[in-house]
Amino acid sequence: MRGGAAAVKAGSRPPWLGLGAAVWLQVAGGGSSTFALYSHALKVALGADQRRLALLGVACDVGENLGLLPGVLCNRLHPALLLLVGAGACLLGYGAAWLLVSGVAPALPYWLIWFALTLSANGGAWLGTAVLVTNMRNFPLSRGAVAGILKGYSGLSAAVYTEIYTGVLGDSPTKLLLFLTLGIPAICLLTMYFVRPCAPSLVETNAEQVHFMFVQMASVVLGIYLVGATILDHVVTLNEIINYSLLAIMVLLIFAPLAIPLKMTLFPRSKNPATDNDQKESLLPSSSESNLNFEDEDSFDIDILLAEGEGAIKPERRRPRRGEDFRFREAILKADFWLLFAIYFVGVGSGITVLNNLAQIGIAAGAVDTTISLSVFSFCNFFGRLGGGAVSEYLVRARTLPRSLLIVCTQVVMIITYLLFALGHHATLHVSVALLGICYGVQFSVIISTSSELFGLKHFGKIYNFIALANPVGAFLFNTLAGYVYDLEVERQKAGVVDTDIACHGPNCFRLTFYVFSGAACLGTLLSTVLTVRVRPVYQMLYAGGSFSQPRNSGH
């Protein structure tokens, strides 16, 4: 990989071209969010009951959050290779589901489909790790903006696929699975060349800020457009020409970030030798190798540990300080690491549980059409992810306040939100869903950039993906609680009733669950407050001048 570590001048086209390609990969990699669109077809093809179908949904959650392996390999492999692995996983996983639903291979066993869905969702984790780690390193001064943009587009993935599903694929689960099987690998092959490490710069320019603002506004326009297109599709019957026109507009809006490198090509800035020299001097230490040569330390970690254990050598490397680059084994010894893990467990774990049970929550509250709640959550989740990145950037630059202060605020809002859910009123359902979607999205983007600032970018892939494991762990425990409480209430309501398929109605279906969630959010508020107090000095050091200042640690 050393031969491919040629520096690319910071602020030039390649980093922005890579960000534009990353947008497409983030949208494509969210295929696991479309499970609801083909779940009934799987249920019919497998002859499965609702419990076994729910376990297939868990398979998507598990696969999507098992990103530790790509996190380890992102320092050893070029991003293009990670994208190839993700493309292969999607091809095999969605391909197996398509074979079953289409009837080509109707005898595929249940366990194989469970594994296939896990594999396909894990393909999205490979794609997400490749583009997120690469772009965070290419734009180290704008980590909050990068995390918000990429996670924001990921949050819009379900809406994009739904537009394709209803407008072009004729509401056919079979066609959708075939589209996912072939479409995701095709996008990977078309964009993999552009997602590559570039030499980052510590010089911040007004042009770069304008470019990020443009991408953020483009994503907001896309989100609003998708909301409008979804409502239009439900209100009136659209003919084929209009459907394809709406799809074409959506594609153009996703292409919008590529307008930045296009503008750089058509209107290049005049070169100033003095400015170029200053910029070269401001590059991160060894920046030409910073993105592709991180494997040097990883290659020797085990040997060093064994040698130290046998007394052959004595460790001389000083321990890194917060804000510097940590190795994974150093990060897991820090209290800040486990505080982030616990906050992720409480906030995101409880949020994904509500999302998984949103249909039943809506029915219990008396809602007839729960797809509206799903749409509200999806779009508020997007705006939360995008806004979390933008607002946290303002906090650290203008006020030198830790990004985790935003998590404190969202945890407080989640306490109130879960109490609103506990009321079980139809009138407050959509408000509760909207608030939770925003809080859920904010925590996603903020925890990403916070972990990169506290523990550095060298081993960011491993560190963040391990923290992300708190999501499926929390989802499993909270879902178990929600299912237990729900089943108890169903048994009570159907006492003496012949119909064994009766659904649960009324606030008692989830009231105890939401009381527990509200208590968990209180704990999350306390933990995030402790983290904010602990890391305040770090942010005062990193952003003392109003922009990010990379610590120059001697340990690397």
Side-chain angles (χ1 to χ4, degrees):
M1 288 298 168
R2 288 180 178 84
V8 177
K9 184 180 175 182
S12 59
R13 287 186 300 274
W16 291 102
L17 198 57
L19 184 64
V23 164
W24 277 87
L25 289 165
Q26 284 292 86
V27 172
S32 60
S33 60
T34 64
F35 176 74
L37 298 178
Y38 57 82
S39 60
H40 183 71
L42 284 176
K43 182 178 182 179
V44 173
L46 290 169
D49 55 19
Q50 189 64 30
R51 181 185 63 85
R52 299 178 76 197
L53 182 65
L55 289 177
L56 293 180
V58 172
C60 294
D61 293 334
V62 171
E64 189 176 9
N65 291 281
L66 286 179
L68 193 56
L69 181 57
V72 171
L73 295 179
C74 67
N75 283 354
R76 299 172 178 267
L77 302 178
H78 193 281
L81 295 178
L82 297 183
L83 295 178
L84 275 179
V85 174
C90 292
L91 179 66
L92 294 175
Y94 290 119
W98 174 78
L99 289 174
L100 174 69
V101 173
S102 65
V104 176
L108 292 179
Y110 175 86
W111 66 266
L112 180 60
I113 298 301
W114 193 95
F115 177 76
L117 292 180
T118 303
L119 183 64
S120 60
N122 191 241
W126 285 82
L127 270 60
T129 298
V131 300
L132 185 62
V133 172
T134 302
N135 282 278
M136 291 281 278
R137 290 172 177 169
N138 288 348
F139 298 99
L141 300 183
S142 306
R143 304 181 192 189
V146 170
I149 288 169
L150 294 182
K151 285 301 178 181
Y153 275 100
S154 177
L156 283 177
S157 179
V160 171
Y161 278 120
T162 301
E163 178 67 22
I164 296 173
Y165 176 76
T166 58
V168 178
L169 302 180
D171 295 338
S172 170
T174 303
K175 292 180 180 179
L176 175 63
L177 286 170
L178 182 60
F179 181 82
L180 294 172
T181 302
L182 302 178
I184 297 177
I187 291 176
C188 289
L189 293 175
L190 291 173
T191 59
M192 61 191 303
Y193 171 77
F194 304 106
V195 180
R196 54 180 171 141
C198 304
S201 172
L202 293 182
V203 175
E204 197 166 43
T205 64
N206 291 331
E208 185 172 277
Q209 295 178 0
V210 172
H211 291 162
F212 275 115
M213 186 176 296
F214 171 79
V215 178
Q216 290 167 338
M217 292 305 299
S219 63
V220 170
V221 172
L222 175 62
I224 295 173
Y225 173 79
L226 289 171
V227 171
T230 301
I231 295 175
L232 184 65
D233 185 62
H234 281 80
V235 172
V236 298
T237 302
L238 305 177
N239 59 38
E240 188 173 335
I241 296 177
I242 296 178
N243 280 327
Y244 277 101
S245 299
L246 292 174
L247 179 65
I249 295 173
M250 182 188 75
V251 171
L252 289 176
L253 290 174
I254 302 176
F255 267 120
L258 294 175
I260 296 172
L262 180 62
K263 170 236 179 189
M264 290 179 170
T265 301
L266 298 177
F267 305 100
R269 296 175 61 186
S270 59
K271 295 184 178 180
N272 187 331
T275 303
D276 291 344
N277 291 334
D278 290 341
Q279 191 175 40
K280 290 175 183 177
E281 291 175 1
S282 67
L283 293 178
L284 291 171
S286 302
S287 60
S288 63
E289 298 180 359
S290 61
N291 287 294
L292 290 178
N293 291 340
F294 292 147
E295 71 272 12
D296 292 345
E297 286 183 0
D298 292 337
S299 302
F300 295 105
D301 266 358
I302 297 178
D303 293 337
I304 291 174
L305 286 173
L306 291 175
E308 289 178 0
E310 295 171 357
I313 62 172
K314 293 183 179 181
E316 297 181 356
R317 180 184 182 273
R318 72 168 177 84
R319 293 181 179 179
R321 300 183 182 92
R322 287 177 297 182
E324 298 177 347
D325 289 312
F326 280 71
R327 297 176 186 175
F328 176 73
R329 62 187 177 90
E330 293 169 334
I332 62 175
L333 299 178
K334 304 298 292 184
D336 296 337
F337 178 91
W338 293 107
L339 281 171
L340 283 170
F341 187 93
I343 293 167
Y344 208 85
F345 172 90
V346 171
V348 179
S350 61
I352 196 68
T353 300
V354 175
L355 179 60
N356 289 341
N357 294 275
L358 200 53
Q360 288 75 28
I361 292 171
I363 293 172
V368 177
D369 186 2
T370 57
T371 58
I372 298 177
S373 296
L374 290 171
S375 297
V376 170
F377 186 93
S378 175
F379 292 115
C380 289
N381 177 28
F382 156 68
F383 288 116
R385 295 183 184 202
L386 184 67
V391 174
S392 67
E393 280 292 302
Y394 171 79
L395 290 177
V396 297
R397 292 175 183 273
R399 305 292 181 182
T400 63
L401 294 173
R403 298 180 193 273
S404 53
L405 179 62
L406 203 54
I407 300 180
V408 177
C409 297
T410 57
Q411 291 283 359
V412 172
V413 174
M414 289 175 76
I415 296 173
I416 302 171
T417 301
Y418 287 139
L419 292 177
L420 284 176
F421 271 116
L423 295 176
H425 293 164
H426 185 205
T428 60
L429 177 63
H430 296 323
V431 175
S432 305
V433 169
L435 290 174
L436 183 62
I438 293 172
C439 295
Y440 182 82
V442 166
Q443 294 191 54
F444 254 107
S445 60
V446 170
I447 288 180
I448 290 173
S449 46
T450 299
S451 59
S452 75
E453 287 166 332
L454 293 181
F455 303 113
L457 288 173
K458 266 192 177 179
H459 304 283
F460 168 71
K462 283 186 286 187
I463 292 171
Y464 169 69
N465 278 298
F466 188 90
I467 293 175
L469 289 176
N471 186 351
V473 174
F476 174 77
L477 294 178
F478 287 130
N479 267 295
T480 301
L481 170 66
Y484 177 74
V485 173
Y486 185 88
D487 289 341
L488 282 180
E489 182 62 19
V490 168
E491 290 296 327
R492 188 189 68 79
Q493 290 188 9
K494 76 175 186 179
V497 179
V498 178
D499 186 6
T500 59
D501 293 328
I502 186 173
C504 187
H505 298 275
N508 289 333
C509 300
F510 291 97
R511 175 168 286 166
L512 178 59
T513 300
F514 285 123
Y515 283 157
V516 173
F517 285 3
S518 185
C522 291
L523 175 61
T525 303
L526 176 62
L527 294 175
S528 52
T529 301
V530 171
L531 178 66
T532 301
V533 173
R534 284 176 56 89
V535 303
R536 177 68 192 279
V538 181
Y539 279 86
Q540 289 177 332
M541 174 192 67
L542 294 177
Y543 290 92
S547 61
F548 183 80
S549 177
Q550 173 72 35
R552 296 179 180 270
N553 51 319
S554 59
H556 296 294

